[in-house]
Amino acid sequence: MRSFPAELARAQQEWSATYRELAERPGRTELRRRLYRLSAEVFFHAYWQERRPAPVAWWELRGLGRSDRAGN
């Protein structure tokens, strides 16, 4: 697995946690706003400016959020 900058990994983990929370409590404006903000933070991170994002890179980054859920 590739190495991602700490702030990008943190933003992805927060995104995953917020998404799960929104799924459990739909319609929460503050959660939707947080999800939008985190989506922009992840998508427009400087890491992606240096490297062209390949689908596998997105998959690995999303896996960080899923591994956080498992307690890893």
Side-chain angles (χ1 to χ4, degrees), residues 49-72:
Q49 302 304 315
E50 299 169 5
R51 296 164 184 78
R52 183 174 178 173
V56 70
W58 287 108
W59 182 258
E60 290 176 359
L61 182 61
R62 297 261 338 259
L64 291 175
R66 286 189 298 269
S67 67
D68 181 54
R69 182 180 182 186
N72 294 331

Side-chain angles (χ1 to χ4, degrees), residues 24-72:
E24 294 169 1
R25 298 173 22 202
R28 302 300 295 237
T29 301
E30 70 276 5
L31 292 176
R32 288 195 319 266
R33 287 181 181 159
R34 186 183 326 157
L35 194 61
Y36 291 146
R37 182 187 54 78
L38 289 167
S39 294
E41 188 176 334
V42 169
F43 188 79
F44 293 109
H45 191 276
Y47 178 82
W48 303 123
Q49 302 304 315
E50 299 169 5
R51 296 164 184 78
R52 183 174 178 173
V56 70
W58 287 108
W59 182 258
E60 290 176 359
L61 182 61
R62 297 261 338 259
L64 291 175
R66 286 189 298 269
S67 67
D68 181 54
R69 182 180 182 186
N72 294 331

Side-chain angles (χ1 to χ4, degrees), residues 2-32:
R2 75 187 74 227
S3 175
F4 293 102
E7 66 277 0
L8 178 57
R10 178 207 44 80
Q12 178 61 48
Q13 290 170 339
E14 283 184 38
W15 186 96
S16 295
T18 302
Y19 188 87
R20 287 189 302 270
E21 192 174 346
L22 185 59
E24 294 169 1
R25 298 173 22 202
R28 302 300 295 237
T29 301
E30 70 276 5
L31 292 176
R32 288 195 319 266

